Amino acid sequence: MEAVGASLGTFDVASPSFHRSGRVSILPGRRWYRLTLEPQKVSASSSLCRVSMSISAETSKQELRQRCTEESYDYGEFNILNLSPLDGRYVEKTKKLRPFFSEYGLIRFRVLVEVKWLLKLSKIPEIEEVPELSEEAQSFLEEVVNNFSINDALEVKTLEEKTNHDVKAVEYFLKQKCRSFAEVAKVLEFFHFACTSEDINNLAYALSLKEAFNTVIFPVMIELCTAISNLAKENAHIPMLSRTHGQPASPTTLGKEMANFAVRLSSRGEKLSEVCLLGKFAGAVGNYNAHKVAYPTINWPHIAEEFVTSLGIQFNAYVTQIEPHDYMADLFNAIVQFNTILIDFNRDIWSYISFGYFKQITKVGEVGSSTMPHKVNPIDFENSEGNLCLANAILSSLAQKLPISRMQRDLTDSTVLRNIGVGLGHSILAYLSTLQGIRKLQVNESRLYEDLELAWEVLSEPIQTVMRRYGVPEPYEKLKDFTRGRAISKGSIREFIGGLDLPEEAKSELLVLTPHLYVGEAEQLAKAVDEAIDLASGFRFE
């Protein structure tokens, strides 16, 4: 390595949205380096950020707050140094999940639960030590929640460095924050009253899931189902050669195949939104032990149920220290099913593109291949498939692990739960990629027609079925002998029909049949797709 003070190189940290530039220098002297962030004042259209890995003492949280205002403390500035592509390369597609599943988001929801619990206690007459709070005090506490900022979250992290406990740090933060309001200052010790950390955490996660799905994930799922449904209706009439086992099969229509996916995905979305998000608030081992000792006459299970349901979460009465996460397993398994169907869709579209059934609308300046100028790769569907595989691996792992906890509590779920946003982040990235790919699709009807024109053998199915109707012996065997291993043309198939012992009316109907017309009820089914799904009501956690 070069001498102290030397730089190994410089590069621009840039993205389409942030247009940042920066310099990275790596200096010797220690086995680890602290990343320091030094934003500087810039114009409204762009900003300059110096990123250095130095051997200086660790930058304190206070210094970081002074250097980074909330406006500039946007992780997008530092995309090129992120370990996860969700916060780096793909940040523009995933950043809407940050308020829910980032460390900031988790802390924010914890603060909300703690504040709401104090407000609940103030409304219980038997708890005289916490008199009903005035409107001013209630407004003050609500503002603590509503105005919770990045700097507030950093303050909690500073406290966590001392406590080595993330939930206790939230309690201490609230005590510090509320000392300035005399009425609330009198009841500071009732923050976190009779709570175990998991009383706070389980509700924080449930709230983050509910809000993230209702505001971000469900709307994109609905948009995706709608886009595929529109593909179905717009292309309901376009005949297409089916392939079963990769071989030419009875024709369908392009729209009908899209309708299949629209219905499957919508059905999974509806099932997903039926999952009950559950919460507990029953103390250290789920029995209200401390509650009962402090206030023996209060019906604590009833109070806990009122509190949990007031947050919009359904109450789970039978728990240990933790809410057992069974609903999360149901939720994540449901998402895995939705994602698996979308993988199936992506692969089919990929194949249709490779057959030439779809062209992809090109964009000026875009490159499909670094060496083959003619290529337009189906990258959106490939990107989606890859991210769905990652999402399903993570979400399946969460579903398998989270319902298991030794005795009344172990901490294996704690670190695992922090990856919910990763699984959902890869999912939302995949949904958006598929949507982007759909917008580029352009049907190539002539190519679809060509494939059908080369597949007259698919009419062997209706011919042998009509033969059965009129009692012609061994119809299947006759068609098998006629078609297998032979090139079947329009002429040869009509010659075969002409030689059959069938009523003239039946022969006439078969003679006008073509692979392009042999689509059954496919067109009608595709056009009626909206009757099979309910996207107007949407998916939502109530």
Side-chain angles (χ1 to χ4, degrees):
M1 186 174 280
E2 298 177 18
V4 174
S7 172
L8 292 182
T10 64
F11 60 88
D12 287 336
V13 181
S15 75
S17 297
F18 297 102
H19 305 291
R20 316 296 188 194
S21 64
R23 174 168 297 179
V24 170
S25 62
I26 303 177
L27 306 179
R30 292 191 182 181
R31 297 173 63 185
W32 58 269
Y33 303 96
R34 176 70 176 180
L35 178 66
T36 59
L37 313 174
E38 301 179 5
Q40 299 179 5
K41 292 182 179 180
V42 293
S43 66
S45 60
S46 65
S47 66
L48 179 66
C49 173
R50 183 180 297 112
V51 184
S52 66
M53 294 182 178
S54 70
I55 60 172
S56 60
E58 289 194 68
T59 305
S60 70
K61 295 289 191 306
Q62 181 62 32
E63 290 173 321
L64 189 60
R65 280 196 299 275
Q66 291 173 349
R67 293 178 182 180
C68 300
T69 65
E70 285 188 41
E71 290 76 16
S72 68
Y73 196 81
D74 188 318
Y75 299 95
E77 293 178 304
F78 319 111
N79 288 350
I80 208 162
L81 291 176
N82 284 103
L83 292 179
S84 169
L86 295 178
D87 286 316
R89 181 180 182 87
Y90 304 123
V91 65
E92 282 301 300
K93 292 184 177 181
T94 61
K95 65 182 180 181
K96 287 184 179 180
L97 291 177
R98 284 175 169 174
F100 310 103
F101 301 120
S102 63
E103 184 76 358
Y104 162 80
L106 177 58
I107 295 170
R108 182 170 65 94
F109 281 109
R110 284 169 170 164
V111 167
L112 183 151
V113 174
E114 294 274 15
V115 168
K116 293 289 187 181
W117 179 232
L118 180 62
L119 290 170
K120 176 65 176 177
L121 292 173
S122 74
K123 297 181 184 299
I124 302 174
E126 294 90 337
I127 303 181
E128 297 176 357
E129 292 78 6
V130 187
E132 185 166 0
L133 297 173
S134 66
E135 290 186 8
E136 291 79 9
Q138 293 181 49
S139 296
F140 171 79
L141 289 170
E142 288 170 1
E143 287 302 307
V144 170
V145 175
N146 295 337
N147 295 331
F148 188 78
S149 66
I150 295 287
N151 281 338
D152 288 333
L154 286 170
E155 182 60 38
V156 174
K157 297 302 291 183
T158 298
L159 291 167
E160 186 184 338
E161 289 178 354
K162 300 174 183 176
T163 63
N164 197 30
H165 196 288
D166 49 1
V167 177
K168 202 66 180 175
V170 171
E171 179 189 347
Y172 289 165
F173 164 79
L174 286 169
K175 287 180 177 179
Q176 290 181 8
K177 193 83 170 177
C178 297
R179 284 195 183 117
S180 61
F181 198 95
E183 188 178 351
V184 180
K186 294 176 182 178
V187 294
L188 292 179
E189 291 306 323
F190 282 84
F191 278 120
H192 208 70
F193 175 78
C195 294
T196 183
S197 297
E198 271 305 295
D199 287 331
I200 309 302
N201 281 335
N202 88 98
L203 294 179
Y205 278 113
L207 288 168
S208 66
L209 284 167
K210 182 175 183 178
E211 293 303 313
F213 270 87
N214 283 347
T215 60
V216 179
I217 299 173
F218 279 149
V220 176
M221 284 182 166
I222 293 167
E223 186 180 359
L224 181 59
C225 292
T226 301
I228 297 173
S229 177
N230 289 339
L231 274 179
K233 290 176 288 186
E234 291 164 5
N235 300 289
H237 63 290
I238 298 177
M240 181 178 79
L241 182 66
S242 293
R243 283 177 171 79
T244 57
H245 312 283
Q247 306 302 309
S250 302
T252 181
T253 72
L254 180 56
K256 168 56 169 45
E257 299 315 299
M258 299 301 101
N260 291 341
F261 286 109
V263 172
R264 292 174 67 193
L265 289 167
S266 297
S267 174
R268 288 305 93 198
E270 290 171 6
K271 290 292 183 184
L272 204 163
S273 62
E274 292 171 3
V275 173
C276 295
L277 307 185
L278 298 175
K280 59 86 68 172
F281 212 73
V285 292
N287 300 328
Y288 309 94
N289 305 52
H291 308 64
K292 194 71 174 175
V293 171
Y295 294 97
T297 62
I298 294 177
N299 184 346
W300 284 109
H302 177 68
I303 293 295
E305 182 173 6
E306 283 186 340
F307 177 62
V308 171
T309 55
S310 74
L311 298 175
I313 305 299
Q314 296 194 41
F315 182 63
N316 190 351
Y318 289 88
V319 296
T320 60
Q321 186 174 110
I322 66 170
E323 200 290 321
H325 308 315
D326 295 332
Y327 86 84
M328 287 191 178
D330 289 341
L331 179 65
F332 298 146
N333 281 328
I335 301 167
V336 168
Q337 288 182 306
F338 184 95
N339 290 353
T340 300
I341 294 168
L342 190 57
I343 290 174
D344 196 21
F345 173 82
N346 286 328
R347 290 181 178 178
D348 276 10
I349 295 294
W350 188 96
S351 296
Y352 295 146
I353 292 171
S354 73
F355 298 157
Y357 292 175
F358 286 114
K359 295 178 181 179
Q360 296 179 93
I361 299 171
T362 57
K363 189 176 181 180
V364 176
E366 284 189 350
V367 175
S369 167
S370 63
T371 186
M372 292 173 278
H374 68 283
K375 289 181 66 181
V376 182
N377 297 329
I379 187 171
D380 296 306
F381 300 103
E382 293 170 337
N383 180 288
S384 178
E385 181 181 339
N387 278 287
L388 289 168
C389 290
L390 283 171
N392 282 2
I394 295 165
L395 295 172
S396 295
S397 180
L398 289 170
Q400 292 173 25
K401 187 274 155 291
L402 288 175
I404 301 171
S405 184
R406 294 172 182 86
M407 305 299 180
Q408 284 69 49
R409 171 68 162 136
D410 69 38
L411 271 173
T412 53
D413 67 330
S414 179
T415 188
V416 171
L417 283 165
R418 293 176 183 274
N419 290 279
I420 289 174
V422 181
L424 295 178
H426 282 291
S427 296
I428 201 77
L429 175 57
Y431 306 158
L432 293 171
S433 294
T434 296
L435 275 167
Q436 185 167 297
I438 289 173
R439 295 186 190 108
K440 295 179 182 178
L441 293 178
Q442 189 175 58
V443 179
N444 184 2
E445 291 191 50
S446 62
R447 183 69 186 87
L448 288 156
Y449 184 92
E450 288 172 7
D451 261 11
L452 287 164
E453 189 62 30
L454 295 172
W456 282 84
E457 65 270 20
V458 299
L459 297 185
S460 62
E461 181 191 39
I463 293 170
Q464 61 100 4
T465 303
V466 172
M467 290 166 67
R468 288 177 190 275
R469 175 186 174 185
Y470 290 103
V472 177
E474 298 183 327
Y476 177 85
E477 289 71 19
K478 286 183 171 63
L479 265 298
K480 183 177 73 170
D481 292 341
F482 172 66
T483 57
R484 282 198 180 179
R486 298 175 59 185
I488 304 301
S489 66
K490 177 180 178 180
S492 63
I493 202 89
R494 289 188 170 179
E495 182 181 349
F496 179 85
I497 294 170
L500 293 174
D501 184 17
L502 291 174
E504 287 304 316
E505 182 180 356
K507 280 187 180 182
S508 297
E509 290 176 354
L510 287 175
L511 286 169
V512 298
L513 190 61
T514 71
H516 315 80
L517 298 175
Y518 181 49
V519 296
E521 297 288 340
E523 181 176 352
Q524 289 69 33
L525 286 166
K527 288 179 176 177
V529 66
D530 286 343
E531 298 174 16
I533 59 180
D534 180 14
L535 296 178
S537 299
F539 317 141
R540 186 170 182 81
F541 288 133
E542 299 300 333

